[in-house]
Amino acid sequence: MIAVELRKLVTRPRTWITIALIDALPTLVAVLLALTDIGPRPGTGPAFLSAVLSDGTLFPLAALAMVLPLFLPVAVALTAGDAIAGEAQSGTLRYLLVRPVGRARLLLAKLVSVVAFVLIAVVVVAVTAYVVGALLLGDAPLSSSVSGTALTQQELAWRTALALGYAVLAMLGVASIALFFSTVTDSPQGAAMGALAVLIASTLLLTLDASQALQPYLPTRYWLAFVDLFRDPILWRDVLRGVVQQVLYVVVFLGAAWANFSTRDITS
Amino acid sequence: MIVTSGLTKRYGQVLAVDDVGLDVREGDIYGFLGANGSGKTTTVRMLLGLVLATSGDIELLGRPMPRQAAAVLPRVGALVEGPAAYGHLSGRANLTLIDAAGAGAPRRSRRARVDDALEQVGLGQVAGRKVRAYSLGMRQRLGLAAALLRRPSLLVLDEPTNGLDPQGISEVRELLLGLHGRGTTVFLSSHLLAEVEQLCTRVGVLDRGRLVLQDQLATLQQPTGRTVVRTPDAAAAHALLDGRVERLSGDRLVVARIEPAELNRRLVAAGLRITELGPERRTLEQVVLAATTDSPVVSP
Amino acid sequence: MVAAAVVLLAAPIAVRALPADDPEVPAARLLVAAQASGTVAYSGYVESSGTLQLPVTDQFSEVAGLLGGRSRLRVWWRSADDWRVDSLTPAGERDLLHSHGLTTEWDYEAERVTTTPRSEVRLPRSSDLLPPELGRLVLADARPGEVSALGAETVAGIDAAGLRLVPAERQATVDHVDVWMDPDTGLPLQVSVFSADAAAPDISTRFLELSTTMPSERVTRFVAPPGVSVDFDDVVDVAGAAQRYAPVVAPRRLAGLGPRRGGLGRGAVGEYGRGVTAMAAIPLWENSAEPLREQLARTPGAVVEADGSSSLSVGPLELLLTPEAFDEHSWLLLGTVTHPTLERAAAQLARRALMVAYP
């Protein structure tokens, strides 16, 4: 079943259009930066964007910082929201289930296919950004950390890998929420909107001092903590919290999705 | 093949299916009749484990459902409430995907199975075309092909001729009869009396969630013991058979408590002209109407 | 499922709500311990928040951020002359590294390194928000009669002993300051400053993580990344610049307040008061004073008097900018003293400036 879902993922044109769209933004930014050589004013742009003018090897991170707050979660919410609800809406869900495909198996296969989507999207963005950064942007001999210390190529590579892994995990949290909504409704758009509503509410509450007690539980709270991986020494505090939090989100929402889906009447 | 007892589904306050005891035997072509909204589809979905029953038991192929769905469903082909397929893929790709989903379909013989199913429903010519470009009838055939992929011993078909033209309907009928001839039991739900009457050997009628009738079609259409006479001299015949005529409408009389041969003799002896004389048989429509308007009676 | 979720959510709250062990050390001893904690080396993670909305001009934007927002700080403190404080922003950081009398500021997003010599007069900076620094500042001149024990609270995993300071001066605008400290070392771990009848603190800063082992030397050393040039700046900021280049000199005593102990020697800027009751008189050239005056005129809550002086009150902070004097300078008076105190000071300065304008 997992193979079937992966095949569906890669044969669907929408997958590649979405990834191309996600990828287009950082590429466009790189071209603009290379042409104008104007970086963002301090405190205004996404992380690392000012640094890439002199050091293009940081561009995968700048690209990640650009797509992580909005593009990537929207794409993931749409894909994961479509997982069950999309099959329900097109009517194919009932035929898969009477095939028979066990409900837990189907959910698992859908999860794996969403994970694959997240991985493909993140890797494509990172690789494109690396190539674009190397071709168009600054070629400083040595990269520096956010704290101003020098980073060897090797250090930069594994910190970047950690950051990408962290982003994937953050998106898995989104995917679990969307997957849960996808088992609740028969409308893929509704499921995606539900997940996005959670994320938007979370982002909004994060700006509110009154919600401080709530903030450690908000799903977007630690998303941008991957920047902390590039401080020297690395600030693990928020990264670790982010990891634990996203794992909890994945466990709770997947559990809820499974509990709901395995006992639900399929009337679509 | 299908046995249910006390099958009940309640949606909140609404009782969608109420104490249904289906009995479909091996070799039947079972017509499951009912108006739209009578609970037919809910029953079909419960049989296939899509909707969970509020109470009651289901046995498919001798095994309890939905507990043993994994063992039962591979031997069942189903078409539920219209076909469904991925529009951006071809008909063949759709069948390949559905065949690959779920265990127990060997990869090596997949192509042969898919081709065979496509051939059976007459879609061989257009199998490479994207389903998005299919007509309603072609989609219906594709759905049938998906149901036939594993050469099931039980077919559960919900309105299988929906959207087909008369030519297509007759092709599907031939297909089902052919499959039946090779030993497949067919459970066919429909709201079309004529379809069921032409095809089925056994009939169940669902009315507002209750199974009001279930019997062999032949039994339901048995002579009633009354005789129908058509004669231009209806008034004279009525007078002659005083007390035995149950109904008189135009030139048609329904006569009870007399043998047809004896009746014929008397009428001819009285010099009456007879156009037609024979035993009364009820049409399925009459049977169904009688069952659904009267207080519900389930025949054994 | 729901129960599990509730447990997951409630566990951290419950752990936080566990009562801390009260070490029950007398207030006077806590005060002495805190005042003597300057030699303790530590490293950790600090979050501070302020509710004081200052009017923002370019020169004061950093101060406004420190007092009026939330700051996340990392600190490695080897000694008062060898430390590093990182002020974390979502997309970068601004680091202060201090050693051998030189302070280096690294701004990642601006890719800028600035080195400045130690200055006696400067505006508040991120390192002043560290609980040990702020705690020692407010407790520096406190008398035993002004403090009382508060009981214990858990701060950064330590059962910290609480001390409340209520300043005795009638000029004070700070109602009280609560300091929680490590009972063993006296190191302040959390400091909250309250103005009169405020329910929430105006400024609060606390450790969320703390280690009292000596941080590594490597961490506090700064080597400018390749390709980034280092600026040397003789004066730290406007206050430091005023101290050196101002046209006038502040008097020794002002508005009934004496010179601040351990404060400046001779210079243009005057520092007065004691502990949390502090006042500074900063002479400003008009090119610094005018933008500030314009900003004040636009700031809600700021008052422009008939004589041309502008004043603003933000929580316990009082600020007064005198009208331009005949020789193109103004006095910026600010501190945690009452508004009438600043007015008295302004009047004294005006009289005095007329008499002796130059040092």
Side-chain angles (χ1 to χ4, degrees), chain C residues 39-338:
Chain C
T39 54
V40 180
Y42 60 90
S43 60
Y45 176 79
V46 172
E47 278 187 11
S48 77
S49 65
T51 57
L52 308 178
Q53 299 301 323
L54 297 185
V56 176
T57 64
D58 278 352
Q59 288 138 319
F60 297 102
S61 62
E62 200 178 330
V63 183
L66 288 175
L67 300 181
R70 275 199 265 171
S71 307
R72 302 193 299 139
L73 306 171
R74 294 174 93 188
V75 55
W76 295 266
W77 194 277
R78 290 167 55 80
S79 73
D81 195 40
D82 187 4
W83 50 260
R84 167 175 159 194
V85 178
D86 292 0
S87 177
L88 308 181
T89 57
E93 61 189 50
R94 270 194 315 278
D95 303 353
L96 286 178
L97 296 99
H98 186 90
S99 68
H100 302 105
L102 289 179
T103 307
T104 303
E105 184 183 2
W106 156 249
D107 187 332
Y108 174 72
E109 283 179 273
E111 260 199 316
R112 192 174 56 209
V113 179
T114 318
T115 298
T116 45
R118 184 185 155 77
S119 167
E120 284 128 350
V121 180
R122 54 170 178 77
L123 291 173
R125 61 188 183 193
S126 58
S127 59
D128 296 324
L129 277 180
L130 297 172
E133 291 297 286
L134 185 61
R136 283 194 292 262
L137 179 78
V138 297
L139 295 177
D141 299 322
R143 296 168 192 140
E146 290 176 308
V147 295
S148 53
L150 263 186
E153 193 166 295
T154 310
V155 183
I158 296 172
D159 291 335
L163 189 67
R164 171 164 296 180
L165 168 83
V166 182
E169 277 84 3
R170 59 186 165 75
Q171 291 102 327
T173 50
V174 170
D175 185 71
H176 63 275
V177 182
D178 291 345
V179 180
W180 276 271
M181 62 191 78
D182 182 344
D184 298 332
T185 60
L187 193 73
L189 305 177
Q190 174 173 351
V191 180
S192 303
V193 180
F194 295 80
S195 52
D197 51 66
D202 295 306
I203 294 176
S204 181
T205 174
R206 66 183 290 170
F207 277 106
L208 296 180
E209 281 170 16
L210 175 72
S211 154
T212 46
T213 51
M214 173 70 74
S216 154
E217 229 180 320
R218 268 179 318 158
V219 186
T220 58
R221 204 187 308 141
F222 186 76
V223 180
V228 178
S229 60
V230 180
D231 296 335
F232 283 93
D233 212 342
D234 264 353
V235 279
V236 188
D237 48 42
V238 275
Q243 172 77 339
R244 287 211 190 166
Y245 306 119
V248 287
V249 174
R252 246 181 78 77
R253 293 183 63 84
L254 198 55
L257 294 169
R260 194 176 175 84
R261 201 158 61 101
L264 302 167
R266 289 204 55 78
V269 175
E271 276 191 296
Y272 310 92
R274 185 182 63 89
V276 288
T277 313
M279 178 174 77
I282 307 169
L284 293 181
W285 285 109
E286 272 316 296
N287 57 4
S288 297
E290 194 50 41
L292 184 60
R293 193 172 285 123
E294 280 167 17
Q295 177 77 41
L296 282 171
R298 285 197 304 269
T299 304
V303 181
V304 180
E305 306 283 350
D307 66 353
S309 70
S310 327
S311 60
L312 179 69
S313 163
V314 185
L317 289 182
E318 290 286 343
L319 179 150
L320 190 151
L321 182 64
T322 65
E324 185 185 348
F326 63 92
D327 51 358
E328 296 193 337
H329 77 269
S330 306
W331 285 94
L332 174 63
L333 293 162
L334 53 97
T336 49
V337 294
T338 56

Side-chain angles (χ1 to χ4, degrees), chain A residues 47-48 61 65 145-147 151 158-160 162-163 166 221-242, chain C residues 45 47 72-74 76 84 86-93 108 209:
Chain A
F48 302 106
L61 294 164
S145 71
V146 171
S147 305
L151 290 181
W158 76 258
R159 288 189 190 203
T160 305
L162 271 183
Y166 185 76
R221 166 68 180 81
Y222 298 108
W223 274 10
L224 293 179
F226 75 89
V227 176
D228 291 351
L229 293 169
F230 294 86
R231 307 190 193 277
D232 200 19
I234 293 176
L235 177 60
W236 289 106
R237 184 187 165 80
D238 282 5
V239 175
L240 293 182
R241 274 153 202 257
Chain C
Y45 176 79
E47 278 187 11
R72 302 193 299 139
L73 306 171
R74 294 174 93 188
W76 295 266
R84 167 175 159 194
D86 292 0
S87 177
L88 308 181
T89 57
E93 61 189 50
Y108 174 72
E209 281 170 16

Side-chain angles (χ1 to χ4, degrees), chain A residues 191-252:
Chain A
M193 288 310 293
L196 288 177
V198 170
L199 297 185
I200 291 168
S202 162
T203 314
L204 193 86
L205 286 175
L206 280 178
T207 63
L208 205 68
D209 279 344
S211 67
Q212 211 158 357
L214 216 60
Q215 291 185 357
Y217 305 103
L218 297 175
T220 61
R221 166 68 180 81
Y222 298 108
W223 274 10
L224 293 179
F226 75 89
V227 176
D228 291 351
L229 293 169
F230 294 86
R231 307 190 193 277
D232 200 19
I234 293 176
L235 177 60
W236 289 106
R237 184 187 165 80
D238 282 5
V239 175
L240 293 182
R241 274 153 202 257
V243 168
V244 170
Q245 191 210 37
Q246 292 304 324
V247 167
L248 284 182
Y249 262 94
V250 169
V251 168
V252 168

